[in-house]
Amino acid sequence: MSCLIRPAEPRDVTAIHQLIYELAVYEKAPHEMVNTPEKLLEHGFGAQPLFTCFVAELNQKVVGMSLNYVRYSTWKGPVLYLEDLIITESQRGKGFGKALFLHTLEYARMNGYARLQWQVLDWNTPAIDFYKSFDAGFDGEWLNAWIEF
């Protein structure tokens, strides 16, 4: 079974929001999700988009997404950051995540980014194994830090 990988469009915002919520539930943190479809519409498809997004579509239904944005590495130059790669639970294990990841990887290569970078939770063994299948590097040296507003 194959799916269509395409750039997300404004009409996909509700499905994208639902996938993000599904991920928040999987990561046991739905209470931390405050984003809305309206914000996604503005931030992804408004006058100054903050992210790009690709969707996996099966039978005209969005079943997955890859949401990305540009970071800048002072050592490497522009880097494409993969914020989330999500496949709805009922469609996992069918190759849709691989297709989305490869599409995102190719997009990064074709657009001159120095690398594709992302994070994965240390307990998410299925995701870690998935990324290892691509010979991805893992960094145990850096700690994540932030300040919330």
Side-chain angles (χ1 to χ4, degrees):
M1 184 179 324
S2 66
C3 63
L4 170 68
I5 306 295
R6 62 171 176 77
E9 300 172 1
R11 66 184 168 99
D12 300 316
V13 165
T14 301
I16 291 167
H17 185 263
Q18 182 57 42
L19 286 165
I20 295 168
Y21 182 76
E22 187 175 332
L23 178 64
V25 169
Y26 177 76
E27 292 182 354
K28 300 169 182 62
H31 58 281
E32 292 184 36
M33 184 181 161
V34 296
N35 210 348
T36 65
E38 293 78 20
K39 288 180 184 177
L40 287 167
L41 186 62
E42 176 188 347
H43 297 155
F45 304 96
Q48 295 182 330
L50 301 175
F51 64 84
T52 58
C53 186
F54 302 106
V55 294
E57 189 176 76
L58 179 65
N59 300 324
Q60 300 179 334
K61 182 176 188 234
V62 173
V63 296
M65 65 152 218
S66 163
L67 192 139
N68 319 276
Y69 57 89
V70 179
R71 289 185 50 198
Y72 193 83
S73 166
T74 55
W75 291 7
K76 303 290 184 182
V79 171
L80 188 64
Y81 190 83
L82 173 58
E83 178 65 24
D84 283 317
L85 176 70
I86 308 167
I87 302 298
T88 193
E89 187 175 10
S90 67
Q91 298 300 325
R92 292 182 193 148
K94 299 179 180 180
F96 304 151
K98 181 177 181 178
L100 263 174
F101 187 75
L102 288 172
H103 185 87
T104 305
L105 195 59
E106 186 61 20
Y107 174 83
R109 281 189 186 124
M110 297 300 292
N111 285 282
Y113 294 103
R115 66 180 172 232
L116 179 65
Q117 189 169 347
W118 64 94
Q119 294 174 310
V120 61
L121 290 165
D122 61 358
W123 58 260
N124 192 344
T125 309
I128 292 168
D129 292 343
F130 173 79
Y131 294 126
K132 281 182 178 178
S133 75
F134 292 94
D135 294 325
F138 292 85
D139 186 346
E141 191 173 345
W142 294 87
L143 297 176
N144 295 312
W146 65 87
I147 297 173
E148 287 196 28
F149 299 106

